[in-house]
Amino acid sequence: MWFGKPRKDPASAQAAAQARAVTGRTAEDRALAHLQGQGLRLVQRNYRVARGPSRRGGEIDLILRERDGTLVFVEVRARQGAGHGGAAASVTFAKQRSLVYAAQHYLMRLSAVPPCRFDVVAIDGEALEWLRGAFDAG
């Protein structure tokens, strides 16, 4: 008798992963267009850090620069609706730690560290909300 989770069909799992990737890319495109419309300039997209000695890694969806030179690390979250707290609520403390880790890694490459902040672009259905300074690195 089998009591574990039912096994997923590899083909349907791959199709679901591809659909999530397309949804994520579309949300990032929409967020980027919105932020650029507000005067921010794209520095880098999808900055990834592999797992290090602490066994964690991270990815920053968008890195942009404000007109005043502030470097903005942006997490983009999209949900079909606002159920379960919506897209913004899905940026958990663990996710924030991962973003801070990736940002620290990115900043080590620079000769001088500019002012920085962490923003979230939350997309719930058609509604887009830009949360400036959504959380702190500390």
Side-chain angles (χ1 to χ4, degrees), residues 29-97:
D29 289 344
R30 187 171 166 207
L32 178 59
H34 178 79
L35 296 172
Q36 287 177 322
Q38 300 298 313
L40 281 76
R41 183 177 52 85
L42 180 65
V43 174
Q44 189 162 347
R45 190 170 182 161
N46 301 118
Y47 178 77
R48 288 182 175 89
V49 177
R51 291 181 184 229
S54 64
R55 309 254 324 136
R56 40 178 208 175
E59 177 187 355
I60 301 169
D61 295 327
L62 302 170
I63 303 173
L64 299 108
R65 191 170 300 276
E66 286 269 19
R67 290 182 182 134
D68 69 0
T70 300
L71 201 58
V72 183
F73 299 101
V74 181
E75 174 67 7
V76 179
R77 288 296 177 118
R79 298 290 182 265
Q80 292 298 322
H84 301 289
S90 71
V91 183
T92 63
F93 181 72
K95 181 60 179 177
Q96 291 174 25
R97 261 193 343 233

Side-chain angles (χ1 to χ4, degrees), residues 103-135:
Q104 289 171 333
H105 188 273
Y106 180 84
L107 292 170
M108 287 190 311
R109 302 170 32 202
L110 305 179
S111 58
V113 177
C116 301
R117 75 167 190 259
F118 292 92
D119 291 1
V120 171
V121 173
I123 302 172
D124 291 300
E126 293 301 313
L128 182 148
E129 184 178 14
W130 177 19
L131 304 168
R132 295 179 191 208
F135 61 92

